[in-house]
Amino acid sequence: MKKFIVLLVCVAVLLVGDTVLDKSGIESSFDAKKTYEQGIAFYNNKDYDKAFESFKKACDGGDMYGCRNLAIMYEKGKGVEEDFSKAAQLYKKACDGGYMRGCFNLGLMYEKGNGVEEDFSKAAQLYKKACDGGEVRGCVGLGVMYTKGNGVEKDFSKATELLKKACDGGEMHGCTILGIMYADGSGVEKDFSKAAELYKKACDGGEMHGCGNLGTMYANGNGVEKDFSKAVELYKKACVGGNMHGCRNLVVIHTNGNGVEKD
């Protein structure tokens, strides 16, 4: 169980980094949407001052994507001084305006106590709102909270349901966490084959924790036939993709000479 919790925390941390700018606007005035799109272009060119101005103008004009992107800039300190409190206010505006990813981001702020007082119950409510509104990142956030009993009563069955919804909806972090639950037998019957299947889906979808975990399955022969060469391939992919566990496991493989020449 300890291994499950450690891995779960590592995967859940990835959710904090969900500060990718949205590329297309939702219903708003034509001028606001056009200004928002200009902001995206400025941001991609690393002209953060002009991007900030454009997103602010778009947000003031009723474009909720603009509000969320403006919140990201405050959260990351790009084009403006870092201000978690202001970011939280803008995420709330986006959420109240019907943009569910804003609700998810605001939930993260409450879970971490960034810009607002830490409140697991409030975070869970926001994740649920996002999840119910079709934002599957919210399903992952809420699912993780059910595994920990933070803001909700611990319920692995509910967690499994939410993570499956997220995974089926294309959120690869949900697939990885669900895979961990099957590999560890937490809340579900232990099933290495199912875990490997979920890790592969996550890895193919670009989630590097899934690649690293699948590599371990191949290294140990759990759920798949033992294959150190395949493990090396997956660890390398995970490492290059920024997963440090993949890098560490690649070191172990090279140290022991498993599947590769000892080096």
Side-chain angles (χ1 to χ4, degrees):
M1 184 62 180
K2 182 178 180 181
K3 178 183 177 183
F4 164 69
I5 293 173
V6 171
L7 288 173
L8 190 58
V9 170
C10 290
V11 176
V13 164
L14 289 180
L15 295 175
V16 181
D18 179 53
T19 50
V20 177
L21 295 191
D22 299 297
K23 301 295 177 65
S24 59
I26 54 180
E27 185 175 352
S28 59
S29 70
F30 175 78
D31 287 342
K33 183 175 181 180
K34 183 177 180 181
T35 303
Y36 161 80
E37 291 170 348
Q38 290 172 342
I40 290 292
F42 286 132
Y43 191 93
N44 289 338
N45 289 327
K46 301 189 186 306
D47 191 340
Y48 298 125
D49 289 340
K50 288 184 179 178
F52 176 85
E53 292 173 8
S54 294
F55 290 143
K56 185 178 186 309
K57 186 175 180 181
C59 179
D60 291 344
D63 189 295
M64 295 300 102
Y65 277 45
C67 295
R68 178 186 179 261
N69 286 1
L70 188 61
I72 289 171
M73 298 195 76
Y74 272 108
E75 188 174 357
K76 299 178 75 171
K78 290 191 178 293
V80 65
E81 187 175 346
E82 183 182 281
D83 188 333
F84 287 133
S85 178
K86 186 66 176 177
Q89 292 172 28
L90 286 161
Y91 285 139
K92 184 178 187 304
K93 181 175 180 178
C95 179
D96 291 345
Y99 183 35
M100 294 300 102
R101 192 168 295 182
C103 302
F104 164 71
N105 285 111
L106 185 58
L108 281 175
M109 302 293 273
Y110 274 103
E111 185 175 4
K112 303 300 176 182
N114 290 335
V116 291
E117 186 175 348
E118 183 182 277
D119 188 332
F120 290 138
S121 179
K122 183 68 175 176
Q125 291 171 26
L126 286 160
Y127 288 151
K128 185 178 188 307
K129 180 176 180 178
C131 180
D132 291 346
E135 175 50 66
V136 289
R137 289 173 178 81
C139 304
V140 175
L142 185 57
V144 171
M145 297 197 86
Y146 272 110
T147 67
K148 299 177 178 179
N150 288 342
V152 291
E153 187 174 347
K154 187 179 288 188
D155 186 334
F156 282 109
S157 177
K158 187 66 176 175
T160 301
E161 177 187 329
L162 286 161
L163 293 167
K164 184 178 186 305
K165 180 178 180 179
C167 181
D168 291 345
E171 179 48 56
M172 296 299 103
H173 293 135
C175 302
T176 296
I177 300 173
L178 191 57
I180 292 170
M181 293 179 73
Y182 274 104
D184 196 67
S186 297
V188 293
E189 186 176 347
K190 184 178 286 190
D191 187 334
F192 286 131
S193 179
K194 183 66 175 177
E197 178 186 324
L198 286 161
Y199 291 152
K200 184 179 187 307
K201 181 176 180 178
C203 182
D204 290 346
E207 210 288 286
M208 295 299 106
H209 278 72
C211 299
N213 287 1
L214 183 58
T216 298
M217 303 292 275
Y218 274 104
N220 295 331
N222 290 334
V224 291
E225 187 175 346
K226 184 177 286 190
D227 186 336
F228 282 116
S229 294
K230 187 67 175 176
V232 168
E233 176 188 331
L234 287 160
Y235 286 149
K236 188 176 292 185
K237 181 177 180 178
C239 180
V240 171
N243 176 249
M244 297 300 102
H245 292 292
C247 300
R248 184 260 182 195
N249 290 337
L250 197 56
V251 169
V252 173
I253 287 274
H254 280 289
T255 300
N256 296 332
N258 291 329
V260 293
E261 186 176 350
K262 186 179 286 190
D263 187 350

